[in-house]
Amino acid sequence: MQTEIVPEWMANLDDQDIAFIKKFILSSGSLKEIAKVYGVTYPTVRLRLDKLIQKIQISEETANEPYISLIKRLAVDEKIDFDTAKILINEYKKTKKEES
């Protein structure tokens, strides 16, 4: 039996993100179909896809900096605002430079 290895970018997604990706694939990438499945408008689905793309990009860009990745994901998920995220990331980077 082969051991499953989950890519880092996938490991950072929540269950809702994975479900969205599955539905996206099963609908052959049709955002209109996904909008019907979820009972929402096309722009709502587009926004959801854009946030998912941001999460994946953040994961790829910050693979060596889990703290920065966490802060960016919190901002994308609207758990914290972007100004707060910038402050936290800048302070973290200052601390890292001082340690060097």
Side-chain angles (χ1 to χ4, degrees):
M1 183 183 235
Q2 185 177 2
T3 305
E4 292 183 36
I5 298 175
V6 178
E8 183 71 25
W9 66 268
M10 265 186 112
N12 290 324
L13 301 178
D14 58 34
D15 291 341
Q16 290 177 342
D17 294 332
I18 301 297
F20 181 88
I21 291 169
K22 181 179 178 181
K23 289 177 183 176
F24 181 74
I25 292 168
L26 292 174
S27 68
S28 299
S30 170
L31 295 181
K32 288 181 183 178
E33 279 299 312
I34 297 215
K36 287 179 189 174
V37 168
Y38 281 103
V40 297
T41 64
Y42 176 91
T44 301
V45 173
R46 182 72 235 181
L47 180 63
R48 175 84 169 107
L49 181 60
D50 289 343
K51 285 185 178 185
L52 187 53
I53 290 167
Q54 286 179 325
K55 280 184 175 183
I56 293 169
Q57 287 172 334
I58 287 167
S59 183
E60 294 288 308
E61 293 168 1
T62 57
N64 296 327
E65 293 287 352
Y67 178 78
I68 292 174
S69 179
L70 170 65
I71 297 301
K72 288 183 176 182
R73 278 196 318 272
L74 289 171
V76 168
D77 289 340
E78 297 177 352
K79 305 283 186 200
I80 62 173
D81 62 79
F82 280 101
D83 290 334
T84 302
K86 286 179 190 176
I87 292 168
L88 291 171
I89 290 169
N90 287 335
E91 288 301 315
Y92 174 76
K93 286 180 179 179
K94 279 188 211 174
T95 304
K96 293 288 280 183
K97 282 182 184 177
E98 291 171 4
E99 290 176 359
S100 299

